[in-house]
Amino acid sequence: MTNKFPDNFWWGAAASAPQTEGASNVDGKSPTTWDVWHEREPEAFFNQVGPDLTSDVYHRYRDDIQLMKDMNLNSYRTSISWARLLPDGKTLNEKAVAYYRDYFQTMLDTGIEPVINLFHFDMPWWMMELGGWENADIIEHFAYYAKVAFEQFGDIVKNWATFNEPMVHIECGYLGDAHWPRVNDFKRAIQVGYHTLMAHFAAVRSFRQSGVEGKIGTILNLSPVYARSEEAADLEAQKWADLFHTRSLLDPIALNQFPQELVDILKEHDLLPTLYAEHDELLTQAIDFLGVNYYQPLRVKAREEIPSTLERPSSLYAGYDWPEKKMNKYRGWEIYERGIYDIAMRIKNDYGNVPWFISENGMGVADEERFIDESGIVQDTYRIEFIRDHLTWLLKSINEGSNCFGYHLWTFVDCWSWLNAYRNRYGYYRVDLENNLERTPKLSSFWLREIIEKNELDI
Ligand code: BG6
């Protein structure tokens, strides 16, 4: 067992355009669903803070990149805003091109590899008005947006992702109410998931056709599913939870096939989506790498009774409250460090050991100003412990042959978090909302800097 990470390991952080840029109504950008939702219902957002008040990266990216350098980061993931680049879906916004080119080039000039994602929950409003992910036309619109992005930035960006956590806009928007359009309908959610997958494949095809040199993948939130016990009914519950939450997207994306059992059960309940004309051809498009966002496991047990209609994945399992769980009480998420190892082994054993990296992991904590010391530094020892424990398991998996090539924390500078706005802070740097959005390093940034320098974990 070595404590060293592989050579050229990506040490970085992750963020997204809608959560960091601000400038939501500046230089020709059109509104996203988040902009419109916040305008209509500000009270739905923590402290009524919407996506116009973020860490203002649109104007401060150069300074932030210097702070990344100070921390020894060598890679950084963010996204392009579709609504900024193509405000009406067709017309190129030259100001957006100039901004993103300079942003990405500055990273490169500073020794930081830009990893650029195309969609991070931020549906342009014009597309939402056409039906959003429910309208099959979005596949073509998205592929066009991807093509434009590859043409405009493909000479400097060498690592691309199509989506961040596609399961989240599907579940939160169509089986819940944390994302617009807050629909609760399983059949519609499945159609949305299917269109999202086809849009992913269409974007990968567009990348291959563009002739741009580089790699393309996607970023999934993966929660290893653990059963309450080894009893058959609990294991059956685990199987279904895994099929719906993990394999439904991971199998087509990483293996180019849909799990047969999933297809069968959807057919049995008349829930299969309407297929897109180019389904067969698109399904052949392969990724170069996978990004994995890991925050928490999913624990399940058998339901007392299985309902006759399948209304949502959890019709087939029940959540299990593991008495020994350790919690991040601010976010209400279980902390289970070993999950990262179990994911790594699964990718190794079931998904051809495809190259992958941790594209998000992190700990959101409320009221972090409590931990500011006399020198003005947040003493986030809990975050250091969180990262160290996850890295320990990640290192073990690498020692056992996992093809993991990086670790990105969510996030670099505290950012705006959807309905939670600035309640929980995740960054290596604190942003001071009361003081001109000033950035201050937290203790964890100094700690990680050392780890990166040695490319080794002290354990
Ligand atoms: C990830 C998302 O799921 O978790 C981010 O990719 C998000 O966009 C992060 O901000 C933390 O979750 P939250 O809800 O606390 O912001």
Side-chain angles (χ1 to χ4, degrees):
M1 165 103 181
T2 160
N3 288 354
K4 280 261 177 217
F5 289 90
D7 290 345
N8 305 317
F9 196 71
W10 275 0
W11 290 107
S16 74
Q19 293 176 268
T20 58
E21 284 182 355
S24 49
N25 191 17
V26 163
D27 289 345
K29 179 182 160 292
S30 69
T32 66
T33 48
W34 296 94
D35 296 322
V36 174
W37 186 5
H38 179 251
E39 199 177 297
R40 289 184 182 176
E41 293 175 17
E43 63 286 353
F45 296 74
F46 181 71
N47 281 347
Q48 307 209 4
V49 172
D52 42 341
L53 175 63
T54 65
S55 34
D56 193 29
V57 161
Y58 192 71
H59 299 107
R60 301 178 195 228
Y61 60 92
R62 287 173 161 272
D63 294 342
D64 280 358
I65 291 169
Q66 193 48 54
L67 298 179
M68 291 174 202
K69 185 72 192 160
D70 291 350
M71 246 192 94
N72 286 336
L73 297 193
N74 60 19
S75 51
Y76 184 70
R77 190 251 300 190
T78 187
S79 65
I80 294 173
S81 161
W82 185 357
R84 191 182 298 284
L85 189 65
L86 295 171
D88 60 1
K90 300 182 197 109
T91 317
L92 187 63
N93 178 358
E94 294 295 349
K95 288 196 170 149
V97 173
Y99 156 65
Y100 286 118
R101 282 199 71 85
D102 193 53
Y103 188 3
F104 304 155
Q105 188 62 51
T106 308
M107 281 190 222
L108 279 174
D109 295 345
T110 316
I112 290 156
E113 186 67 38
V115 183
I116 303 305
N117 174 37
L118 294 171
F119 188 88
H120 198 122
F121 312 160
D122 52 341
M123 175 71 74
W125 184 249
W126 63 264
M127 186 67 232
M128 185 53 83
E129 284 190 302
L130 296 175
W133 288 112
E134 291 193 77
N135 180 345
D137 290 349
I138 195 168
I139 300 165
E140 232 171 86
H141 285 297
F142 188 73
Y144 178 71
Y145 158 52
K147 175 174 170 283
V148 170
F150 304 144
E151 280 166 5
Q152 297 299 323
F153 313 115
D155 57 330
I156 48 179
V157 174
K158 298 298 167 203
N159 290 283
W160 293 89
T162 54
F163 282 90
N164 174 78
E165 301 190 350
M167 190 56 88
V168 169
H169 71 249
I170 302 165
E171 286 189 340
C172 294
Y174 295 85
L175 283 176
D177 57 8
H179 283 209
W180 197 271
R182 301 178 296 179
V183 166
N184 218 319
D185 184 314
F186 200 17
K187 190 154 175 105
R188 287 169 70 181
I190 289 164
Q191 191 68 51
V192 159
Y194 175 76
H195 286 158
T196 303
L197 269 175
M198 289 299 127
H200 156 79
F201 290 123
V204 175
R205 181 174 65 182
S206 156
F207 183 73
R208 306 289 177 214
Q209 288 170 345
S210 72
V212 159
E213 276 175 34
K215 294 186 175 152
I216 190 160
T218 204
I219 292 167
L220 300 180
N221 50 314
L222 297 186
S223 290
V225 185
Y226 300 108
R228 169 181 56 181
S229 76
E230 292 294 308
E231 281 177 28
D234 284 340
L235 294 178
E236 179 77 2
Q238 178 192 34
K239 179 189 81 179
W240 288 117
D242 184 55
L243 270 166
F244 276 100
H245 296 288
T246 307
R247 296 187 57 198
S248 57
L249 296 181
L250 184 54
D251 281 25
I253 286 171
L255 300 175
N256 296 103
Q257 65 192 29
F258 285 92
Q260 194 54 46
E261 261 183 290
L262 188 65
V263 174
D264 290 344
I265 196 161
L266 294 184
K267 196 168 181 185
E268 189 190 320
H269 290 270
D270 192 25
L271 288 168
L272 279 180
T274 307
L275 294 194
Y276 188 59
E278 294 184 80
H279 173 99
D280 290 345
E281 192 204 324
L282 285 176
L283 192 57
T284 60
Q285 298 296 326
I287 48 164
D288 299 311
F289 68 87
L290 188 68
V292 174
N293 293 357
Y294 174 62
Y295 288 93
Q296 55 172 342
L298 174 59
R299 298 193 185 273
V300 300
K301 63 183 180 188
R303 282 182 71 112
E304 302 278 301
E305 211 179 305
I306 301 284
S308 56
T309 44
L310 193 56
E311 285 181 354
R312 48 204 307 119
S314 56
S315 301
L316 296 165
Y317 67 84
Y320 172 55
D321 193 8
W322 186 39
E324 292 162 50
K325 68 181 186 297
K326 179 165 79 176
M327 290 295 288
N328 170 358
K329 63 180 180 193
Y330 309 103
R331 190 58 181 83
W333 287 346
E334 180 182 340
I335 299 175
Y336 187 64
E337 303 85 353
R338 191 205 150 102
I340 219 165
Y341 169 82
D342 290 336
I343 291 171
M345 290 300 114
R346 182 120 189 249
I347 294 174
K348 179 174 173 223
N349 298 328
D350 297 350
Y351 294 93
N353 213 7
V354 59
W356 70 286
F357 77 114
I358 286 288
S359 39
E360 279 182 37
N361 178 228
M363 189 182 183
V365 171
D367 306 319
E368 270 198 325
E369 54 280 4
R370 286 173 292 163
F371 305 110
I372 298 179
D373 71 359
E374 327 68 66
S375 61
I377 306 258
V378 177
Q379 300 293 311
D380 57 343
T381 48
Y382 41 87
R383 185 167 289 109
I384 294 175
E385 188 185 328
F386 178 98
I387 300 171
R388 181 201 299 273
D389 292 348
H390 282 84
L391 285 178
T392 303
W393 280 103
L394 189 60
L395 204 49
K396 176 171 160 61
S397 77
I398 293 170
N399 274 290
E400 292 177 25
S402 169
N403 218 349
C404 178
F405 62 84
Y407 178 87
H408 282 188
L409 187 86
W410 184 269
T411 187
F412 184 61
V413 171
D414 290 341
C415 69
W416 178 81
S417 269
W418 318 111
L419 300 184
N420 273 334
Y422 280 92
R423 180 163 59 194
N424 296 320
R425 304 302 189 93
Y426 284 87
Y428 282 125
Y429 277 75
R430 177 171 173 78
V431 71
D432 189 344
L433 298 177
E434 261 90 63
N435 186 14
N436 189 32
L437 303 176
E438 192 188 49
R439 279 77 158 136
T440 326
K442 301 182 193 172
L443 191 64
S444 56
S445 74
F446 300 111
W447 175 79
L448 194 81
R449 191 195 142 96
E450 301 280 302
I451 303 278
I452 302 175
E453 201 166 298
K454 290 190 264 171
N455 201 34
E456 181 180 317
L457 193 63
D458 291 328
I459 39 174

